[in-house]
Amino acid sequence: GAVVSQHPSRVICKSGTSVKIECRSLDFQATTMFWYRQFPKQSLMLMATSNEGSKATYEQGVEKDKFLINHASLTLSTLTVTSAHPEDSSFYICSARTQGGNEKLFFGSGTQLSVL
Amino acid sequence: GESVGLHLPTLSVQEGDNSIINCAYSNSASDYFIWYKQESGKGPQFIIDIRSNMDKRQGQRVTVLLNKTVKHLSLQIAATQPGDSAVYFCAENLLDTGRRALTFGSGTRLQVQP
């Protein structure tokens, strides 16, 4: 099946710093990628939809200036958590959608962010 | 608003038994449903999907049943193995939003006892 690579898998940072998370579709092109956040023992919550070559679409309540999304190519989307705070600590997961008549979503392995 | 939810937060079964995980959805416009398995510290792994024009679909050891009348989805795992222990999420495709993002249910933790 299609492979989505997410990096890093784990990051610990100090409060106030910025962290960049990369999501790559390794064997297919993805015009649309999605970023989710998951708190412990909870479900995945959609943060934003990343569109190649255009601005991301953010869900209600998600600060676009805090969670910067860039989708500069058909195989790469990045999420940058700016001025991270401890409450931003969470598991961040990206997904990419294959194209064509039988579209499927595949997920990255996730990034565990811990802000001290 | 629209939501996808699960009846049971935790399901414990004996190895070799069959498991049934249930999911209720509220958006009757949804036409695509997927089951994912998520192990601790990992991203969701696709298990099986079903479109609304079907009521049953089978995979290897897994079967998904869709009852559109009562808006209910279930995942059946045959001969459950310890490796099946994980959290299982159902998800739906909200076509009415046009964005093709998935909405996830709250998840069910499956514990397989040896």
Side-chain angles (χ1 to χ4, degrees):
Chain A
V3 177
V4 175
S5 174
Q6 188 172 341
H7 179 80
S9 59
R10 182 179 294 272
V11 59
I12 301 173
C13 69
K14 293 182 179 180
S15 184
T17 61
S18 295
V19 175
K20 179 184 286 187
I21 303 170
E22 293 187 348
C23 181
R24 295 180 183 273
S25 55
L26 296 185
D27 51 359
F28 66 99
Q29 294 182 331
T31 56
T32 304
M33 293 185 177
F34 303 96
W35 287 96
Y36 290 84
R37 179 168 54 184
Q38 185 179 32
F39 292 107
K41 298 184 179 180
Q42 295 188 22
S43 188
L44 286 74
M45 298 300 296
L46 180 67
M47 298 176 66
T49 301
S50 174
N51 303 298
E52 188 270 335
S54 64
K55 292 182 178 180
T57 304
Y58 290 83
E59 295 300 296
Q60 189 174 6
V62 178
E63 299 176 58
K64 62 180 182 180
D65 294 331
K66 180 169 185 60
F67 299 100
L68 301 179
I69 292 174
N70 184 280
H71 194 155
S73 77
L74 287 171
T75 59
L76 174 64
S77 176
T78 61
L79 168 67
T80 301
V81 182
T82 62
S83 187
H85 290 157
E87 57 264 33
D88 298 325
S89 299
S90 185
F91 193 55
Y92 293 85
I93 308 171
C94 72
S95 69
R97 192 181 75 198
T98 61
Q99 300 176 75
N102 193 27
E103 295 180 352
K104 291 188 184 297
L105 275 176
F106 292 91
F107 286 81
S109 54
T111 297
Q112 181 63 53
L113 171 64
S114 299
V115 184
L116 304 178
Chain B
E2 295 91 359
S3 66
V4 179
L6 293 172
H7 296 303
L8 299 173
T10 303
L11 177 65
S12 184
V13 300
Q14 291 293 124
E15 181 178 358
D17 288 351
N18 296 333
S19 302
I20 300 176
I21 301 172
N22 296 301
C23 176
Y25 64 95
S26 59
N27 189 352
S28 58
S30 295
D31 74 345
Y32 181 54
F33 304 88
I34 313 101
W35 280 101
Y36 287 93
K37 172 186 179 183
Q38 186 180 29
E39 297 175 314
S40 181
K42 298 183 179 180
Q45 177 185 356
F46 174 91
I47 300 174
I48 192 168
D49 59 358
I50 189 168
R51 296 193 181 274
S52 60
N53 60 352
M54 302 174 67
D55 54 19
K56 180 180 180 179
R57 190 168 187 216
Q58 289 184 296
Q60 186 175 11
R61 282 202 306 121
V62 295
T63 301
V64 55
L65 299 178
L66 175 63
N67 186 330
K68 295 181 289 294
T69 302
V70 295
K71 291 183 284 188
H72 184 267
L73 192 69
S74 69
L75 175 69
Q76 300 178 2
I77 305 174
T80 313
Q81 303 169 359
D84 295 327
S85 294
V87 177
Y88 290 80
F89 294 97
C90 67
E92 65 177 311
N93 193 340
L94 298 175
L95 289 182
D96 61 351
T97 67
R99 64 177 182 224
R100 309 302 294 276
L102 294 177
T103 295
F104 283 82
S106 56
T108 292
R109 178 173 298 281
L110 177 64
Q111 297 177 334
V112 182
Q113 306 297 330

